[in-house]
Amino acid sequence: MTPMKLKLDIDPDIVAMMAAEVAAGERAVTAAMREAGTGLKSAWRLQITGAGLGPRLANSIRNQNFPRSGESLDAAALVWSKAPVIVGAHDWIGSLVQNGTIEPLELGERAGDFVESSVQAVTYEGQTWGVPYSVENIAILRNTELAESTPASFDEMIAEGRKAVDAGEAEYPFVVGLDAVNGDPYHLYPFQTSMGAPVFKQAEDGSYDTGSLAMGGPEGEAFAEKLAEYGESGVLNPNMTADIAKEQFNSGNAAYFITGPWNIEEAEAAGVDFEVEAIPSMGDQPAQPFVGVNAFFVSSESENQLAANEFVVNYLSTEAAQDALFAEGKRPPALTASFDKAASDETVKAFGEIGENGVPMPAAPEMGAVFEFWGGAEMSIIKGEGDPVQTWQKMISDIEGRIGQ
């Protein structure tokens, strides 16, 4: 059999045409990115001067086009401030301070303009280290078609949810996502606090005594027994991951779901009719969720500490800046005036009000030792592996030993 040979001639005019199209695309993309970068820089500068912060800070806003010369379909523009700022969660503070990465700030009278828990969260060892811009915490989502209300106690909530299960309308009375190995101390923490077993003792000003672990003793052991009880009954399901819990609630298979604002958009898209409500107590004290605060910090590496401080304290704390941050991220603002406006959204309002009764996640480096043992012990108890009190006591001993090292 004679092999077939194919010959393909490419018209030079077609090649030239394609090259011209690519070149035109490179010019268009590069020009668009330059225009976008320049426009964003100008808008940012105008916003700063409009806030009365002066041209010096405004002129710290710079932009750079990439590639620096020539044209490319992958062109990009970077807009930044020469006043180096770090953006992150408040529970980084302990490690950042320990490593000399950030500088303390003076909020002064502005501190009173923020949600109290957000200021507590950015305060560490008596100093303020950041300007808070958003506050988030967990709450109960109640499927209004499956449950009429969220009772004040955990057992009553489960009983209410079981009505829908017994009626064949739902599969689960309540869902919470758990990691198969490390559990989820964050989502279970409100129930633990309601049993009188906070992670550390807390002073009136919100600061934590990290040398005094408060999860032990009769209160912590009673919580461990509750975990074992609900694990055995299936209320706490070790096979219920965070994704599965979300899917079950969004599919209408669960009456109650404990989660945060990060899952609201998907619940709404799924068409679930829900309310955001306070977390019921497992014990005889209020259920207090951890409050997480996102904040701006001034880098110790800043070449111009004055400009950086001015930018963070006097610009990012303004109502205009905090309004813009909410519009972008949809997290409840830390600035009270901005939150009041955002609270026209009932979901944002509910999370914010529940967060007022929460407690800041401890920012101390010692939390690393806590998390190393905490979740694993909880999951072991939920799975029924060994005596719950002994497992809890060993966890306390391990944490104290690691902190004391």
Side-chain angles (χ1 to χ4, degrees):
M1 180 177 180
T2 304
M4 181 182 293
K5 295 182 179 180
L6 296 177
K7 182 179 179 181
L8 178 64
D9 290 327
I10 299 178
D11 189 331
D13 290 339
I14 296 177
V15 175
M17 186 185 302
M18 292 178 66
E21 289 295 326
V22 170
E26 290 176 336
R27 287 193 298 273
V29 172
T30 303
M33 293 310 301
R34 284 174 178 164
E35 181 179 351
T38 301
L40 180 57
K41 178 185 72 174
S42 298
W44 198 353
R45 286 182 172 183
L46 283 173
Q47 194 174 22
I48 291 173
T49 54
L53 299 176
R56 180 177 179 182
L57 180 59
N59 288 335
S60 76
I61 306 301
R62 305 296 175 87
N63 79 299
Q64 177 65 59
N65 299 306
F66 299 95
R68 293 177 184 268
S69 62
E71 293 158 339
S72 171
L73 288 171
D74 295 322
L78 173 65
V79 182
W80 80 100
S81 170
K82 285 190 70 178
V85 175
I86 297 171
V87 184
H90 82 274
D91 50 310
W92 297 0
I93 292 177
S95 295
L96 292 174
V97 172
Q98 194 174 58
N99 295 327
T101 307
I102 58 175
E103 295 292 318
L105 303 174
E106 288 292 340
L107 285 180
E109 294 181 356
R110 288 182 181 271
D113 298 335
F114 290 88
V115 175
E116 184 179 2
S117 62
S118 72
V119 177
Q120 290 179 353
V122 297
T123 301
Y124 177 67
E125 294 186 340
Q127 290 184 294
T128 302
W129 297 91
V131 168
Y133 74 86
S134 73
V135 179
E136 60 185 20
N137 51 270
I138 58 176
I140 288 288
L141 301 193
R142 172 175 60 89
N143 184 320
T144 58
E145 294 182 359
L146 299 177
E148 294 183 357
S149 65
T150 300
S153 84
F154 185 81
D155 283 336
E156 290 173 345
M157 179 187 72
I158 299 303
E160 181 69 21
R162 285 198 190 282
K163 294 178 183 178
V165 175
D166 293 342
E169 299 172 347
E171 189 172 349
Y172 302 99
F174 163 78
V175 288
V176 55
L178 300 172
D179 180 86
V181 176
N182 295 313
D184 195 328
Y186 175 82
H187 281 85
L188 296 178
Y189 190 65
F191 306 126
Q192 182 175 320
T193 59
S194 76
M195 299 289 291
V199 61
F200 294 116
K201 291 183 179 179
Q202 194 173 16
E204 290 185 6
D205 64 357
S207 62
Y208 287 96
D209 178 4
T210 56
S212 182
L213 197 64
M215 297 197 296
E219 294 82 5
E221 292 164 7
F223 176 63
E225 291 177 325
K226 285 288 187 181
L227 292 179
E229 174 187 337
Y230 295 123
E232 184 177 3
S233 66
V235 170
L236 297 179
N237 185 344
N239 298 314
M240 181 71 67
T241 66
D243 286 341
I244 293 174
K246 177 176 65 176
E247 179 183 342
Q248 292 301 322
F249 184 78
N250 291 348
S251 298
N253 293 328
Y256 299 97
F257 178 30
I258 186 166
T259 190
W262 47 85
N263 279 329
I264 292 299
E265 188 174 340
E266 289 188 51
E268 291 174 337
V272 180
D273 188 1
F274 66 87
E275 293 288 340
V276 178
E277 296 178 330
I279 301 168
S281 293
M282 193 174 283
D284 59 3
Q285 297 186 32
Q288 295 181 293
F290 275 134
V291 173
V293 174
N294 291 308
F296 296 99
F297 311 104
V298 173
S299 170
S300 299
E301 299 298 319
S302 171
E303 295 179 1
N304 191 333
Q305 292 286 335
L306 184 61
N309 196 286
E310 178 79 6
F311 180 67
V312 171
V313 175
N314 293 324
Y315 171 63
L316 294 174
S317 66
T318 64
E319 196 169 334
Q322 300 251 333
D323 287 350
L325 289 164
F326 169 73
E328 181 66 26
K330 299 302 180 185
R331 296 292 191 266
L335 190 73
T336 303
S338 294
F339 174 78
D340 289 343
K341 285 183 283 186
S344 60
D345 182 318
E346 289 299 320
T347 297
V348 172
K349 179 181 179 181
F351 272 109
E353 290 176 345
I354 293 164
E356 289 178 0
N357 296 318
V359 291
M361 171 85 78
E366 287 84 354
M367 281 301 291
V370 175
F371 279 115
E372 182 179 351
F373 301 102
W374 193 7
E378 288 189 345
M379 181 51 73
S380 178
I381 292 170
I382 291 169
K383 290 179 176 179
E385 298 173 346
D387 179 77
V389 171
Q390 290 179 0
T391 300
W392 195 262
Q393 290 173 339
K394 184 179 185 305
M395 176 198 74
I396 296 297
S397 177
D398 289 340
I399 294 172
E400 291 177 336
R402 186 57 53 87
I403 290 176
Q405 287 181 352

